[in-house]
Structures are given as structure tokens and as C-alpha cells.
Amino acid sequence: MTRGMIYKLIWILVLVALSVILILPTVGEKDMEVLLNKDITVEQKDAVKKIFAGDKFTIKDNGTSLIVSGRSLTDAFMNKVRILDGVTEARLLKHWVEEKLMAKKINLGLDLQGGMHLVLRADFSGIEAKLGRTLEEKDKIEITQQALELLRNRIDKFGVSEPSIRPSGAEAIEIQLPGVKDPRAVKKAIGTTGSLEYRLVDEKYSRSSAEWIKNNYKAKELPQEWGGQKQLLDEAAKAIGLPDTLELMFYFERDKDSKKIFPVYPMALEKKIAVAGTDIKEATVDRDEYGRIVVQFKTTAEGAAKFANVTREENRDKRLAIILDNNIRNAPHINEQITTGSGHISGGFSHEEAQTLARIIKEGALPVTLQIIEERTVGPSLGQDSIESGIKAMIIGMAGVILFMIVYYKMGGLISAIGLILNMIFMLALLSLLGFTLTLPGIAGFILTVGMAVDANVIIYERIKEELASGKSVRMSIVYGFDKAFWTIFDANLTTLIAAFILSQFGTGPIKGFAVILFIGILTSMFTALYVTRFVYEIISLNKKIKKLHI
């Protein structure tokens, strides 16, 4: 074997090993932490443990929490546990691969694990009556975007891993919540008006609380759910001796990819509300005299007096926290007293960040009402049936194709079967890396990819057979066979690749999912057929005693 072939072998083995590691969060064992109420009864605890009965799960009882390990722990299962009596919170813990290699588990879509599908329509009649005119299209889009930001905050509290929240036209919002088991709680949360308030920050106790959490919470992530966050903040407040006039809350930031907000560090706030959200009547993105992006705002007459009071000289250089639904979303410094009822917030914002902040500020006074005009609940049993049917179809399809290839192409069929399995591993690894959400059409994409991968092998083998029939040696037949098959496979897949790319860019929901899997599947099948399989045949051709190929 030449040095180049050794390097190639090492490269393929490393790639396979890395791919197997990346799919561990999806196919491997998962851990779920179930936080229990302090006053949980023995009967309630037994009822919680009963749901994990059987050989599929192992339970470690830590007194105030349960650590459950198993392969069938999904978001749907987590939400089912979360609403049991005596349970404060349930969450899926990250796999070590997710921590070290940025891999993500492949989530299941609404059609595979059940959940809720809602379409909400904004009722602008209240705003139009107040303004005395009909709103223009751009105004409706802006207000719908504000409502969308508010809904994201509400829904993030339910711990839904892959919620789909997107505008549908200028007046409607479409929401898909995979795994949600308590539709009444979701609808209640969505229907409430957002609470927005402004409070002064106490820097001394903010530093103390942040230091305490840093020293005592190193090995764990900050809790993502309100129950766990409240418990942690209470512990920190007690540890640092927080005065009764102050309250701890988490400062939140939004993840650029998932769009979910997550706690970053605690801040100590005065309990007294300095300015209410309803005191702000307008907020827009603008630039200051230095060209920096700022958020301009105007207050009501009552709000102007409150702002003048809170921004007085003695509070200069203090921070004024902007709190949306008990989450601190920004804390700008007070640079000067604002007595005119208008001012600006600066902070080195990007335009997108400033727009988000302006929306948050305006949400407190948002008068729009959201009405549910469409509601569908997909049962988990239907989702489970879909998963089992899809997996069964995939296994039967692969087994049938592999059997045919082995019977027809003998050793060549066996090599193509190995290529097929590697193709599936590479596909799953890429989807895990992207944190893909798998839907039923996505499974169809997998099955279609299996057929296309086999098609590439058939083209290669037929070209090799032609070369052997023309009298060439085994080694030369392999070289010419792969070379001639390359452009045929490339041309055929390139057109599908372009179609899949366009579909993934303009399609939505399940259609987009199908297109992404098809796109990735074509790339991995070409790689396995033209690179990995060819390498196997190159190794075989090193044996000069071979006079005939069994294909």
C-alpha cells in the first residue's frame, strides 16, 4: 500500500469515527433530570418513578431530583413528566458530545412526536379605533413582529426544544410546538399581555450574586426553566444576604441560531418599579450625533415625570434594567437626567439588536389582541406510529436493496452495502451537527437517498463490467470504470442537487426538511460511492493475483 493510500485510509477512518461520535446524542443513551417539589409525597414520587418503569430506563434518586438514563427520552416524554404532580421541572441533559464537539441531537418534528399547531391572527381594530385611521400594510407587519417577539418569550418558558414561530402574512402568526403536552397552559400564556417594567440595578449585590453563582455552579449549566432559575436565585439571595428591598433576576441573551433566550448572569434589582411599560408610548431605532445606533423612545406625560425622577443626578451612572416577563433583557446606564419625555438608549447595538430592543420596549404598550383561528393537536401515539412506520420502511427498503445488490453483484454488492451504511452514518452526523428537526417527509428523504446511493453504485459497476468485457485488466477496469462513471453520476446528481437547494431555500416546514435531507444525502452518497467505495476497490486491485472481479 502506498503512502498516499495509507493517508487516505486514516482520513476515512477518522471521518467515520467522528461521524459515529456526532450521532451519539441522537442514537445513544440520554439523561433526564427531574426536579421534585420539596414537599412531594411518597405516593407522588412513586407515581413519577412508575412512568420510567421497565428495563429501558435506569433511575438514580438524589432525594430532591431523579436522574433517568435511557434511549427513549424525548421532548414529548419530558413534557409528559413535567406536568406530573410533585414535579417542579424536567429537562434533558446535554450529552458530552454536545458540550465538546458542538453536536446537537436530531429533534423530532410535530408530526413525529405530537404537539400543538396554532395560527393566531392579530386584531388591529383596537389600534385603528385609537388612531382613527386604517393601518397600512407595513404598520401591520411591524406590529405582528412585535407580537412575535412577545410570543417567543412566552413559549421559551415551556422548554420546547424546536418551536417554530413565524409570521404568516401581515396579520397572522403560525406556531408549531413539538412535544407540548399541556395545550391549555400554552394558550393561557399566549393570551396574556406582556409585562414590561424598568427597575434600578444594585451593582454591589449584582456582583456578589454573580460571584456566588460562578463559585457554586461551575460544573452545571444555568437552569433553562423558570422553576430551576427561581430556586437557584433564592439560594444565591440567601447566601449573599440580599436585603428585602432587592430582588435577584437573570439577565437574558438570545441565541443567534435557535432564537431562544437563555440566562447569562444574575442582577440585583430594586423591588420598586421605577417606570412601567405602559409609560412608554413609542420606541424607534435611530443614530446619535456620533453615528452610533441607538433606540429612541418617547414617554407619556406621566412617564416623563417618572423618568425625570429615576434619572435624577444621584442615580447617574447606575443602570436601569428593562424587564420583560421577569427576564432582564437590557440594562443601559443612566448618563443624564431625562426631563423631556424622550431619550435614547445606547450600547454599541447592531441594527438587528436595536430593532429587537425597540420591539421589547414597545411590547409593554402593545394594544393588539391575538386570536386563535386554527388549532390542531397531534397525539403522541400518532407520532410514535409514524416513527415506527418510517423506520420499518427504511429498514425494509435498505434490506431489500442490499439483498438485491449482493445477489446480483456478489462482492460488489457487499461493498456497496458497506457504502450505504457509511452513507447513513455521514448523513446523520451532518444533520446532528446542524441540529436538524426530523419530520415524516424527512424520513422519505432518507429512503429516497438510499435509492439514489445504490443507483450510483450500479452505474459504476456497469462501467467496470464494460471495461472487463473489453479485455482490460482488473486494475485498469476499476480505474476506467470509476473515471467514466464519475461524470454520469455527477451530472445526474447535480441537477437534483440544484433542485434540492432551491427547494430548501424557498420551501417551509416539512418541504424544507425533505429538501435539506435530500441535499445532504446526495452529497454523502456521492462521497461514499466515488471516494470510499473506489478506495476499497483500489486496495483490492493491489492484489496482483486477482484475475477476475465478482461484480
Side-chain angles (χ1 to χ4, degrees):
M1 190 181 290
T2 63
R3 182 177 292 181
M5 292 179 77
I6 292 173
Y7 288 150
K8 207 182 258 189
L9 177 62
I10 293 172
W11 157 245
I12 292 172
L13 290 177
V14 168
L15 203 59
V16 172
L18 186 63
S19 299
V20 171
I21 291 172
L22 285 174
I23 63 177
L24 285 179
T26 301
V27 302
E29 199 170 81
K30 301 181 183 71
D31 291 332
M32 179 188 287
E33 184 179 26
V34 183
L35 301 176
L36 306 172
N37 289 338
K38 290 180 180 175
D39 55 351
I40 186 172
T41 63
V42 176
E43 291 77 17
Q44 287 174 334
K45 200 170 187 178
D46 288 341
V48 175
K49 287 184 178 179
K50 193 176 177 181
I51 200 169
F52 300 108
D55 298 332
K56 290 195 302 182
F57 303 108
T58 57
I59 304 175
K60 185 179 176 184
D61 191 341
N62 294 329
T64 56
S65 68
L66 302 175
I67 301 294
V68 185
S69 302
R71 291 183 186 279
S72 304
L73 297 173
T74 62
D75 295 323
F77 202 89
M78 176 185 72
N79 286 310
K80 188 177 177 183
V81 173
R82 190 178 281 167
I83 59 175
L84 293 175
D85 290 334
V87 173
T88 304
E89 191 51 76
R91 58 179 181 171
L92 288 168
L93 300 178
K94 283 189 175 180
H95 197 279
W96 69 267
V97 178
E98 295 178 89
E99 302 279 358
K100 304 293 182 185
L101 296 177
M102 295 185 295
K104 301 166 188 170
K105 69 182 174 72
I106 297 177
N107 295 295
L108 301 179
L110 188 68
D111 53 352
L112 291 184
Q113 66 169 324
M116 287 186 69
H117 172 92
L118 295 170
V119 179
L120 310 173
R121 186 172 62 196
D123 181 3
F124 298 104
S125 57
I127 306 174
E128 290 176 338
K130 190 176 177 181
L131 296 175
R133 62 177 175 85
T134 303
L135 287 171
E136 295 180 6
E137 188 81 358
K138 65 176 185 178
D139 296 326
K140 290 181 178 180
I141 291 173
E142 177 64 20
I143 292 171
T144 304
Q145 285 290 341
Q146 293 169 25
L148 197 140
E149 180 70 28
L150 178 65
L151 291 178
R152 279 207 178 105
N153 290 325
R154 293 278 192 275
I155 289 167
D156 281 348
K157 292 182 178 178
F158 288 88
V160 182
S161 60
E162 286 297 323
S164 171
I165 309 166
R166 55 177 179 265
S168 178
E171 302 182 11
I173 297 170
E174 188 178 321
I175 302 172
Q176 290 190 347
L177 306 174
V180 167
K181 291 288 181 295
D182 192 0
R184 285 177 302 176
V186 172
K187 285 193 285 185
K188 185 179 177 183
I190 287 173
T192 56
T193 307
S195 68
L196 182 71
E197 56 198 33
Y198 301 76
R199 296 200 223 166
L200 283 171
V201 178
D202 186 291
E203 298 295 345
K204 176 187 169 187
Y205 284 101
S206 292
R207 284 193 296 273
S208 300
S209 60
E211 191 69 23
W212 185 87
I213 286 182
K214 184 181 176 184
N215 292 334
N216 294 277
Y217 223 74
K218 282 180 181 174
K220 299 179 182 177
E221 281 193 345
L222 292 175
Q224 299 300 306
E225 311 306 329
W226 169 242
Q229 292 164 14
K230 181 77 170 57
Q231 189 175 341
L232 180 59
L233 291 174
D234 288 345
E235 288 178 25
K238 188 177 178 182
I240 64 173
L242 192 74
D244 292 339
T245 54
L246 300 178
E247 180 182 8
L248 290 183
M249 283 189 187
F250 273 113
Y251 185 94
F252 281 72
E253 289 183 354
R254 186 173 295 285
D255 184 83
K256 289 182 180 177
D257 298 325
S258 67
K259 303 296 182 189
K260 291 182 70 173
I261 58 171
F262 59 93
V264 185
Y265 51 81
M267 295 179 82
L269 309 174
E270 289 187 1
K271 285 185 177 178
K272 183 183 175 184
I273 298 172
V275 181
T278 50
D279 293 323
I280 308 291
K281 65 179 182 182
E282 188 179 332
T284 55
V285 178
D286 205 343
R287 290 183 182 272
D288 63 8
E289 62 271 29
Y290 304 107
R292 297 173 302 189
I293 295 176
V294 297
V295 177
Q296 291 279 1
F297 64 88
K298 290 182 180 176
T299 68
T300 60
E302 188 180 352
K306 290 180 180 178
F307 250 102
N309 181 48
V310 75
T311 56
R312 62 188 184 275
E313 182 64 25
E314 65 183 80
N315 288 335
R316 177 173 288 187
D317 293 332
K318 286 185 178 179
R319 286 190 287 174
L320 187 64
I322 303 173
I323 305 153
L324 179 65
D325 295 340
N326 293 322
N327 300 333
I328 302 173
R329 302 300 302 280
N330 205 291
H333 282 88
I334 298 171
N335 297 323
E336 59 186 10
Q337 189 174 25
I338 299 172
T339 57
T340 58
S342 64
H344 71 255
I345 300 171
S346 58
F349 304 122
S350 67
H351 193 268
E352 186 181 349
E353 289 169 339
Q355 273 190 326
T356 302
L357 180 58
R359 285 180 188 139
I360 290 170
I361 290 173
K362 285 190 284 186
E363 276 165 12
L366 187 66
V368 72
T369 304
L370 296 171
Q371 297 174 335
I372 298 175
I373 58 173
E374 184 184 338
E375 177 186 349
R376 280 190 286 121
T377 303
V378 181
S381 58
L382 176 62
Q384 191 61 35
D385 289 345
S386 301
I387 295 172
E388 290 172 1
S389 300
I391 292 175
K392 190 185 290 182
M394 195 186 305
I395 292 172
I396 292 173
M398 277 191 71
V401 167
I402 289 172
L403 185 65
F404 170 78
M405 292 294 286
I406 291 175
V407 169
Y408 195 80
Y409 290 107
K410 301 178 180 63
M411 185 188 73
L414 193 62
I415 294 172
S416 67
I418 295 170
L420 266 181
I421 294 169
L422 289 179
N423 183 37
M424 298 301 287
I425 292 174
F426 292 149
M427 279 183 71
L428 288 171
L430 281 173
L431 294 173
S432 292
L433 205 60
L434 296 172
F436 188 77
T437 299
L438 183 65
T439 60
L440 205 54
I443 292 179
F446 264 104
I447 297 170
L448 179 61
T449 304
V450 170
M452 296 184 71
V454 171
D455 190 42
N457 284 308
V458 169
I459 293 171
I460 292 168
Y461 294 160
E462 291 303 319
R463 295 293 86 78
I464 293 176
K465 284 168 79 172
E466 287 173 6
E467 297 303 321
L468 287 171
S470 68
K472 290 190 177 67
S473 65
V474 170
R475 184 181 176 82
M476 293 310 296
S477 297
I478 290 173
V479 173
Y480 280 107
F482 271 97
D483 288 345
K484 287 184 177 179
F486 176 84
W487 287 110
T488 307
I489 295 170
F490 183 80
D491 290 344
N493 284 296
L494 182 64
T495 51
T496 313
L497 207 60
I498 293 170
F501 177 76
I502 293 172
L503 204 58
S504 68
Q505 295 301 306
F506 294 99
T508 57
I511 296 173
K512 187 182 180 77
F514 172 80
V516 171
I517 285 191
L518 186 61
F519 186 86
I520 291 175
I522 291 169
L523 291 179
T524 54
S525 65
M526 286 177 68
F527 175 74
T528 50
L530 297 173
Y531 190 82
V532 180
T533 306
R534 179 167 187 161
F535 176 70
V536 174
Y537 275 102
E538 284 175 354
I539 292 176
I540 291 173
S541 67
L542 290 177
N543 187 350
K544 296 180 180 175
K545 293 180 181 178
I546 291 182
K547 303 296 181 187
K548 184 180 179 184
L549 271 180
H550 295 284
I551 58 173

